[in-house]
Amino acid sequence: MKKSILSIVLLLITSITVAQKSQRIAYIDMEYILQNIPEYLEAQNSLGAKVEKWKTKLDKEARAIEVIKTDLSNEKAILTKDLVEEREEDITIKQESLRRLESLYFGPKGDMYNLRRQLVKPIQDQVYNAIQTIASRKKYDFVFDKSGDLVMLYSNKKHDISDLVVKMINIDQKKQQKKDKIAAKKELLKNEGLTDAQKEQIAKKKAVREKKKNDRLSRVKRIEEKRKAKLEERANIRKLLKEKKDALRKSQEEAKKKAAIKESK
């Protein structure tokens, strides 16, 4: 359906071009442009690293759940009904937590979506702004994306403005870097002219931010310590159950041996 609509649009544009010889058309290769913007490549690499980290964490949680399920299956025969129900409830909670975490990372409005917008969208906006500026200056009526769904059966290289877009983005970025340096120098000079009281106020605000950050890290640390303690407690319970199981099996074997000796007499 989408390709049909694009084909109709192409036919309409072609008809307009034939009817009006003054129409000016250009095209770009979006993939080529993005691959020649270092910031875009860095953003893609950063996003890819995050995605791999999230996938690794999800896989680790999934494997941990499978271990708990296997342990329950092996020990079910020697556990009380209450302990079995407790373990099953724990597994259900962990599975629901895993699903929530997966949705948090890869859901429609999850971390991946937000991070992509944060990293990639500003660069894409730069590209579109550069295209609009060039089209306005060169008086192009239409600019097509060669790498898009609209198939170009033929394209003359002289109408390709991809390199021009890349150059314009590089120029804009250099201008922005220059502005940032000037702003940083102004801020530095501004701080140098501050009174001791003003400097102290800035230092206090910085200390408050640092304290909030440290408090947040401390809360995360406490939660992690509680989680580890709980896991250790469960490991000790499994160890005790295993020891009881081994002791029971040993007792049964000794009983069988005694019974066999008694029968032989």
Side-chain angles (χ1 to χ4, degrees):
M1 183 64 182
K2 189 176 180 181
K3 289 187 177 180
S4 299
I5 294 171
L6 290 170
S7 300
I8 293 169
V9 173
L10 181 59
L11 286 171
L12 288 171
I13 292 169
T14 305
S15 301
I16 294 169
T17 306
V18 172
Q20 301 177 5
K21 296 296 183 181
S22 61
Q23 296 283 1
R24 288 171 59 81
I25 297 176
Y27 72 90
I28 55 102
D29 186 338
M30 185 65 78
E31 290 180 3
Y32 169 81
I33 292 171
L34 293 175
Q35 291 302 316
N36 280 275
I37 300 176
E39 287 82 358
Y40 178 80
L41 299 177
E42 290 174 8
Q44 287 292 86
N45 291 335
S46 178
L47 180 62
K50 278 284 186 182
V51 168
E52 285 302 315
K53 184 178 179 180
W54 293 334
K55 286 182 177 178
T56 300
K57 185 173 182 179
L58 291 172
D59 289 342
K60 184 179 178 181
E61 294 292 332
R63 287 196 298 271
I65 291 172
E66 288 302 316
V67 169
I68 295 173
K69 288 170 71 176
T70 301
D71 289 345
L72 176 59
S73 178
N74 293 336
E75 299 168 2
K76 205 167 187 177
I78 60 170
L79 295 175
T80 64
K81 183 181 177 180
D82 289 341
L83 278 175
V84 170
E85 289 177 353
E86 183 182 338
R87 294 278 193 91
E88 288 176 343
E89 184 181 357
D90 186 43
I91 291 170
T92 301
I93 292 171
K94 286 184 177 296
Q95 287 174 330
E96 290 176 354
S97 177
L98 180 60
R99 284 193 290 270
R100 285 196 299 270
L101 187 61
E102 186 175 11
S103 178
L104 178 66
Y105 288 153
F106 301 109
K109 297 292 182 180
D111 290 346
M112 181 177 174
Y113 171 83
N114 292 326
L115 187 59
R116 187 190 297 278
R117 281 181 59 84
Q118 180 185 342
L119 294 175
V120 178
K121 193 176 182 300
I123 299 167
Q124 291 175 333
D125 289 343
Q126 279 187 321
V127 174
Y128 289 123
N129 290 336
I131 292 170
Q132 289 177 358
T133 302
I134 293 168
S136 177
R137 289 178 183 176
K138 297 287 186 179
K139 299 187 184 305
Y140 289 120
D141 297 288
F142 302 100
V143 178
F144 297 106
D145 180 8
K146 184 180 180 181
S147 60
D149 290 333
L150 186 59
V151 178
M152 299 184 72
L153 300 177
Y154 170 77
S155 59
N156 192 323
K157 185 66 178 174
K158 70 179 183 179
H159 299 304
D160 188 353
I161 60 171
S162 300
D163 285 323
L164 190 58
V165 173
V166 174
K167 287 179 183 177
M168 179 163 285
I169 291 171
N170 289 335
I171 290 171
D172 289 341
Q173 288 178 344
K174 286 178 181 178
K175 287 180 180 178
Q176 186 60 46
Q177 288 172 1
K178 190 175 180 180
K179 287 180 181 178
D180 292 341
K181 285 181 180 179
I182 292 171
K185 286 182 180 178
K186 286 182 178 179
E187 186 67 24
L188 183 62
L189 291 172
K190 182 181 176 182
N191 290 336
E192 286 179 355
L194 294 175
T195 63
D196 291 339
Q198 289 172 326
K199 288 180 180 179
E200 186 179 352
Q201 188 177 6
I202 292 172
K204 284 181 179 179
K205 288 181 179 179
K206 186 178 179 181
V208 169
R209 288 196 298 269
E210 286 294 324
K211 185 177 184 303
K212 287 181 179 179
K213 181 181 176 182
N214 292 332
D215 289 344
R216 186 170 64 253
L217 292 174
S218 296
R219 285 197 299 271
V220 172
K221 187 177 179 181
R222 286 196 298 271
I223 292 170
E224 183 64 19
E225 287 174 352
K226 285 181 180 179
R227 189 182 71 84
K228 287 182 179 179
K230 192 173 182 181
L231 289 174
E232 187 177 348
E233 182 182 355
R234 288 175 180 170
N236 290 333
I237 291 172
R238 284 199 295 269
K239 184 179 178 182
L240 289 173
L241 289 171
K242 187 176 182 301
E243 289 175 353
K244 287 181 180 180
K245 186 178 178 181
D246 292 342
L248 179 63
R249 185 174 61 251
K250 186 176 180 181
S251 175
Q252 290 173 342
E253 288 174 355
E254 289 178 355
K256 287 180 181 178
K257 285 180 181 178
K258 289 180 180 180
I261 293 171
K262 189 175 180 180
E263 287 178 2
S264 63
K265 290 180 179 180

